[in-house]
Amino acid sequence: MRRGRKNRQENTRKTSAVKPGMPGGRYRPLTQPDEQQVHRTILDVLENIGMGDPIPIVKEQALERGCFINEHGRLCFPRAFVEDSIANAPRNARLFGRDPKHDIDVGDNRVHNYGGGEAVNMLDVGASSYRPSTLDDLYDTARLVDRMDNIHALARLVVPTEIQDQFACDINSAYVSAAGTLKHTQLTFADASHVQPTLEMLYMIAGGKEKFHERPFCNSGGCPVISPLRYGQDNSEVCVESIKFGAPIWVTVAPQAGATAPAALAGAVVQSVAEALAGMLMVHVVDPGTPVVLGPWPFVSDLRTGSFTGGSGEEALVSAAAVQMINYYGLPSSVGAGMTDSKLPDCQAGYEKALAIALAAQAGCNDVSECSGMLGSLMALSLESMVIDNDLLGAVLRTVRGIEVNEETLSYKVMEQVVHGEGHYLRAQQTLDLMRTEYEYPALADRLAPGEWEAAGSPDIRQQAGERVKSILSSHYPEYIDPAIDAKIRERFPILLNPDNMHPGNSRW
Amino acid sequence: MRRGRKNRQENTRKTSAVKPGMPGGRYRPLTQPDEQQVHRTILDVLENIGMGDPIPIVKEQALERGCFINEHGRLCFPRAFVEDSIANAPRNARLFGRDPKHDIDVGDNRVHNYGGGEAVNMLDVGASSYRPSTLDDLYDTARLVDRMDNIHALARLVVPTEIQDQFACDINSAYVSAAGTLKHTQLTFADASHVQPTLEMLYMIAGGKEKFHERPFCNSGGCPVISPLRYGQDNSEVCVESIKFGAPIWVTVAPQAGATAPAALAGAVVQSVAEALAGMLMVHVVDPGTPVVLGPWPFVSDLRTGSFTGGSGEEALVSAAAVQMINYYGLPSSVGAGMTDSKLPDCQAGYEKALAIALAAQAGCNDVSECSGMLGSLMALSLESMVIDNDLLGAVLRTVRGIEVNEETLSYKVMEQVVHGEGHYLRAQQTLDLMRTEYEYPALADRLAPGEWEAAGSPDIRQQAGERVKSILSSHYPEYIDPAIDAKIRERFPILLNPDNMHPGNSRW
């Protein structure tokens, strides 16, 4: 049955050929001796070069546990200490959705896609220039992620740039996330003092503190390292304060090869993983029981200009290698993948995203981050790109699932039957049986015959994506915060999202 | 130094970060037990189901060597015979360029990109509909491939559809290839009788029969199997006749899962590899010494419509698995990758191509075919897409190269120096030293800052690609066939390429 464009666009069926958390790990950019050499160098770095500028609580606790300050005044972690911390760290953790169907189990090499971004610009549907992103945009991303099968959780994809006050910015980010999706949400805070009041708002949304902590549907963390190899105060404090969520802490570091990390790719991997471990060690000297999602994100420079290139082959490669190292340690992982340099959802965006996302996923990344909607080396977000990426992620996940090999799937008997029978497999029972389970169908990607495509006006996928974005965002206004609670939240906290924009008829769509 | 758009477009520097023939194999979609189960089933298929309709010379030679006809009248290959043939088959082979710098050594898991296509439509620069492809188009593809660093050889990317006579079509295809590029060219013949006269023309171009056979710069072969599991007469004869080239024979089979192959992906891999081996066995019963490039191309159906989907995740996955099986046998390999379903070089084309090409290359494919310019599930070719794909292929090759891990690249000393010194790596000697050798720079891909990009008119990569195509094709008119020889060739053979179109001023560009 051939389905028309309209049907395809409205199609929101949960596919059964892919699911969150399928194991990766069949791509290994590093050999086993490579892994060990990288690991030994990481231990050397943490033990001898150490980390600058630990915050007082971390320094104090670390020294108590056998770490030391070297002659340069830097906090050093003895290799046995690092190895023990790795061995004792929680290896698996659940990121809860508000609906259990959205729960995510990070750890091992289970692949999920979500997170990241913090872009400060939007590319509007059909536009060819950027504008500053707003709180309404962040709300839209939450509603859209809520409907994307292959984007498994939410993070602050864009910054509400119109909000000057940092506390208002952070708590509003949390508010619109909870208003827009039931998927797990990763939060970001500019200052540790924002954590407690945000938690109090989340308690109200959850129906009480205990309810929230039974299934914490948000987590938090930060980027506690200023590369190379120095702790940053504000984000270190946020990471430590985030332990209060009772959820895994995310720790992301992004040393840039050729600028704040070695230009040699091996060195960039060493430094980024060492810094991510330093983030974990920081959390664990305060509370060894808190799971940490380690995000060594080795970024890459275009050495001709010094600027960050998120879409390069080098970026895809070092990110996959960083995943491999975190899997070598058996710890939960995240890397940035999908950070195209293109400013538009064009062919460059497509191929740069697919290359990085495919390799990160095949390497077995627990959180393939930056994978949905990001453009311009993380400078902008496009909702069109996000729905296109949802299809891309579905295709990548299909490759991650791999090929089941057993007597039935090897199909010897079917082959024999067909060769001596009808001469084709179109009506074979196996073919009919596997239609829904063996094959993943994209929502947008064009598979028409050329004549049909021309008759439809020769659309490119960006046009199709724009229609899908409008269709979802003009209709999907979930009521994920109880109206009575919402009123109380708005009394107590400086919530800036206009309630008029939370209903169909919203003039924005 | 920041370089402008114009410079980037004119940039034809041979990069030093990637090269043809780097080893892949770090992605293994099948486990070792999977490989063995697939292999055993392949042996079962060849021994018990066998192949229908062998041509007389093949049947005769095969029976002489211990094969047999089963009760269904099909030619069956005993497992020991198949295993011996695999063991004794040439494992490596050279595809010669007319310039030795373009020589390609297939075998092991060395990755090259080229070949394939046979599209019957062109998408013109800037166009949004297709038109039938012509001989001029094929000449243009040859000239363009000649200038693309990451497309390592040529094949008939488009069919000259205006030429009704099949012999004229084939010999003209060979002629315009030799006129347009010094890279190795894979030829296609509709009938075995076209091989000898084409060879005679190639002898003239080479400067004599001996000269050609010293370094045969063309090879030939075909698609000798009608799936499922039946030899096709014409292409079988072409394959056998192609032994005369003294070059590796290419054998491609393309059973389509759910139509002419099992819908279960494992079964599709089994059948495609069995059929490719059947192609090799066919050549080897006639001449065991001729190297064969095995092309098991398991195609995939969209089971909702029955039509071929070249861009799906399933396609990327089964192709990579087919590569792995050919590498398991240690034989030269080819698969189709980059066969997007999109009709345009848009975001869908980008991501579908990258996913398939990356996985085939990482699996260690000797000939990543269909990787340059193909659109619409092989229905059309776009020159814009070809130059974009050249950048994509460069990025993929950079990931194939991998990360060199040694004391120097691990960068411990550089890190120590920087941390205790300047605090960044921008001026480190290592950074300067690695600028050209560690990083691959795309010719087209946009890495501008958003403001610069907007100031340049917010181009997408297709616009950039169109300019590059025009710039190359309006100026690159190589004289790869000596004019005196050319005159003689035109006297003897029905060459249809207008000489006026072989010089600057060609009204087509």
Side-chain angles (χ1 to χ4, degrees), chain A residues 38-119:
Chain A
V38 169
H39 169 55
R40 281 194 296 267
T41 311
I42 287 167
L43 293 180
D44 287 344
V45 168
L46 290 170
E47 182 170 64
N48 301 321
I49 303 179
M51 294 292 293
D53 302 340
I55 57 174
I57 183 175
V58 169
K59 181 172 171 181
E60 187 183 301
Q61 297 280 333
L63 295 181
E64 252 178 45
R65 290 164 190 250
C67 304
F68 62 94
I69 303 291
N70 74 2
E71 72 275 23
H72 300 282
R74 300 170 62 85
L75 178 61
C76 294
F77 302 93
R79 50 215 308 127
F81 178 83
V82 174
E83 294 190 306
D84 284 356
S85 293
I86 291 170
N88 296 324
R91 306 177 97 64
N92 290 282
R94 178 160 292 181
L95 299 169
F96 293 95
R98 280 163 74 196
D99 182 329
K101 78 178 175 191
H102 293 310
D103 287 358
I104 287 173
D105 289 316
V106 294
D108 293 330
N109 47 22
R110 292 185 294 271
V111 179
H112 305 89
N113 311 310
Y114 65 98
E118 303 262 331

Side-chain angles (χ1 to χ4, degrees), chain A residues 25 34 38 44 68 90 97 136 190 230 273 278 283 306 317 321-322 341 376 392 400 402 434 459 469 482 508-509:
Chain A
D34 287 348
V38 169
D44 287 344
F68 62 94
D136 282 314
R230 192 156 65 79
V273 176
V283 172
L317 178 60
D341 298 318
L392 153 60
V400 168
L434 292 179
V469 166
D482 179 88
R508 302 183 66 248
W509 292 104

Side-chain angles (χ1 to χ4, degrees), chain A residues 409-449:
Chain A
T409 61
L410 287 163
S411 308
Y412 178 85
K413 283 184 185 158
V414 183
M415 246 176 264
E416 201 175 33
Q417 229 165 20
V418 163
V419 164
H420 302 320
E422 282 202 287
H424 63 76
Y425 299 77
L426 292 169
R427 285 193 289 267
Q429 191 57 45
Q430 187 197 52
T431 303
L432 303 174
D433 290 346
L434 292 179
M435 183 166 165
R436 285 287 164 207
T437 54
E438 188 80 337
Y439 293 83
E440 169 71 7
Y441 301 101
L444 285 177
D446 170 32
R447 293 182 174 180
L448 298 174

Side-chain angles (χ1 to χ4, degrees), chain A residues 1-3 26-31 34 37-38 41 44-45 48-49 72 74 128-130 228-229 257-267 269-271 300-305 309 312-314 317 321 341-348 350-352 354-355 358-359 362 379 388 391-392 395-396 398-399 402-405 409-412 415-416 418-420 423-426 430-431 434-435 438-441 445-450 453-454 458-461, chain B residues 1-3 26-31 34 37-38 41 44-45 48-49 72 74 128-130 228-229 257-267 269-271 300-305 309 312-314 317 321 341-348 350-352 354-355 358-359 362 379 388 391-392 395-396 398-399 402-405 409-412 415-416 418-420 423-426 430-431 434-435 438-441 445-450 453-454 458-461:
Chain A
M1 179 190 59
R2 186 178 289 276
R3 298 187 305 160
R26 291 182 178 173
Y27 167 56
R28 300 175 61 80
L30 302 172
T31 64
D34 287 348
Q37 274 198 278
V38 169
T41 311
D44 287 344
V45 168
N48 301 321
I49 303 179
H72 300 282
R74 300 170 62 85
S128 57
S129 62
Y130 291 171
L229 297 166
T260 56
L265 299 187
V269 173
V270 165
Q271 189 186 307
V300 164
S301 305
D302 185 317
L303 290 180
R304 299 170 304 183
T305 61
T309 160
S312 63
E314 291 82 2
L317 178 60
D341 298 318
S342 177
K343 313 301 175 289
L344 296 165
D346 65 352
C347 192
Q348 177 187 348
Y351 84 69
E352 291 185 342
L355 177 58
L359 297 192
Q362 291 293 351
M379 291 298 287
I388 297 169
D391 271 9
L392 153 60
V396 169
R398 183 62 190 86
T399 69
I403 298 175
E404 290 81 22
V405 174
T409 61
L410 287 163
S411 308
Y412 178 85
M415 246 176 264
E416 201 175 33
V418 163
V419 164
H420 302 320
H424 63 76
Y425 299 77
L426 292 169
Q430 187 197 52
T431 303
L434 292 179
M435 183 166 165
E438 188 80 337
Y439 293 83
E440 169 71 7
Y441 301 101
D446 170 32
R447 293 182 174 180
L448 298 174
W453 166 75
E454 286 179 23
S458 304
D460 71 8
I461 199 170
Chain B
M1 177 190 58
R2 187 178 290 277
R3 299 188 302 159
R26 291 183 177 174
Y27 167 57
R28 300 175 61 80
L30 302 171
T31 63
D34 287 349
Q37 273 198 277
V38 169
T41 311
D44 287 343
V45 168
N48 300 321
I49 303 180
H72 299 283
R74 301 170 61 84
S128 56
S129 62
Y130 291 171
L229 298 165
T260 56
L265 299 187
V269 173
V270 165
Q271 189 185 307
V300 165
S301 305
D302 185 319
L303 290 181
R304 299 169 306 183
T305 62
T309 161
S312 63
E314 290 82 2
L317 177 60
D341 298 318
S342 178
K343 313 300 175 289
L344 297 165
D346 65 351
C347 193
Q348 177 186 347
Y351 84 69
E352 291 185 342
L355 178 57
L359 296 192
Q362 291 292 350
M379 291 298 288
I388 297 170
D391 271 10
L392 154 59
V396 168
R398 183 62 190 86
T399 70
I403 298 175
E404 290 82 22
V405 174
T409 61
L410 287 163
S411 308
Y412 178 84
M415 248 175 263
E416 200 175 33
V418 163
V419 164
H420 301 321
H424 62 77
Y425 299 78
L426 294 169
Q430 187 197 49
T431 303
L434 291 179
M435 182 166 167
E438 187 80 336
Y439 293 83
E440 168 70 9
Y441 301 101
D446 170 33
R447 293 182 173 181
L448 298 174
W453 167 75
E454 286 179 21
S458 306
D460 71 7
I461 198 169

Side-chain angles (χ1 to χ4, degrees), chain B residues 169-184:
Chain B
C169 181
D170 286 346
I171 198 162
N172 274 281
S173 296
Y175 174 83
V176 300
S177 301
T181 185
L182 294 182
K183 294 186 180 179
H184 183 85

Side-chain angles (χ1 to χ4, degrees), chain A residues 26 73 127 132 167 186 195 207 227 230 264 288 352-353 379 387 437 450 462 464:
Chain A
R26 291 182 178 173
F167 170 64
Q186 174 180 301
V195 170
S227 301
R230 192 156 65 79
E352 291 185 342
K353 281 167 178 267
M379 291 298 287
V387 299
T437 54
R462 189 182 177 191
Q464 307 273 39

Side-chain angles (χ1 to χ4, degrees), chain B residues 36-230:
Chain B
Q36 285 155 20
Q37 273 198 277
V38 169
H39 170 56
R40 281 194 297 267
T41 311
I42 288 167
L43 293 180
D44 287 343
V45 168
L46 290 170
E47 182 169 63
N48 300 321
I49 303 180
M51 293 292 294
D53 302 340
I55 58 173
I57 183 175
V58 169
K59 183 173 170 180
E60 185 184 305
Q61 296 282 331
L63 295 181
E64 251 179 47
R65 290 165 191 250
C67 304
F68 62 95
I69 303 290
N70 73 4
E71 72 276 23
H72 299 283
R74 301 170 61 84
L75 178 61
C76 295
F77 302 92
R79 51 214 308 127
F81 179 84
V82 175
E83 293 189 308
D84 283 356
S85 293
I86 291 170
N88 296 325
R91 309 177 95 62
N92 292 281
R94 178 160 294 182
L95 298 170
F96 292 95
R98 280 164 73 195
D99 182 330
K101 77 179 174 191
H102 294 309
D103 287 359
I104 288 174
D105 290 316
V106 294
D108 293 331
N109 47 23
R110 292 186 293 272
V111 179
H112 306 90
N113 311 311
Y114 66 96
E118 302 261 333
V120 293
N121 294 293
M122 286 294 292
L123 177 72
D124 278 326
V125 171
S128 56
S129 62
Y130 291 171
R131 63 164 176 80
S133 53
T134 67
L135 188 64
D136 282 315
D137 295 321
L138 185 59
Y139 175 56
D140 289 343
T141 66
R143 295 191 294 136
L144 204 52
V145 163
D146 199 51
R147 290 286 299 274
M148 297 290 111
D149 286 344
N150 301 315
I151 304 172
H152 303 133
L154 178 68
R156 187 155 75 181
L157 292 164
V158 290
V159 175
T161 59
E162 81 279 28
I163 307 181
Q164 301 301 316
D165 180 75
Q166 288 191 327
F167 171 65
C169 181
D170 286 346
I171 198 162
N172 274 281
S173 296
Y175 174 83
V176 300
S177 301
T181 185
L182 294 182
K183 294 186 180 179
H184 183 85
T185 298
Q186 175 182 300
L187 298 179
T188 302
F189 295 101
D191 192 279
S193 67
H194 305 171
V195 170
Q196 186 59 41
T198 302
L199 266 173
E200 281 164 25
M201 180 185 71
L202 295 172
Y203 295 160
M204 292 173 72
I205 292 171
K209 180 173 179 177
E210 293 68 28
K211 279 251 174 186
F212 178 84
H213 285 295
E214 271 169 30
R215 298 178 47 86
F217 56 83
C218 295
N219 75 331
S220 172
C223 307
V225 172
I226 298 170
S227 301
L229 298 165
R230 192 156 64 81

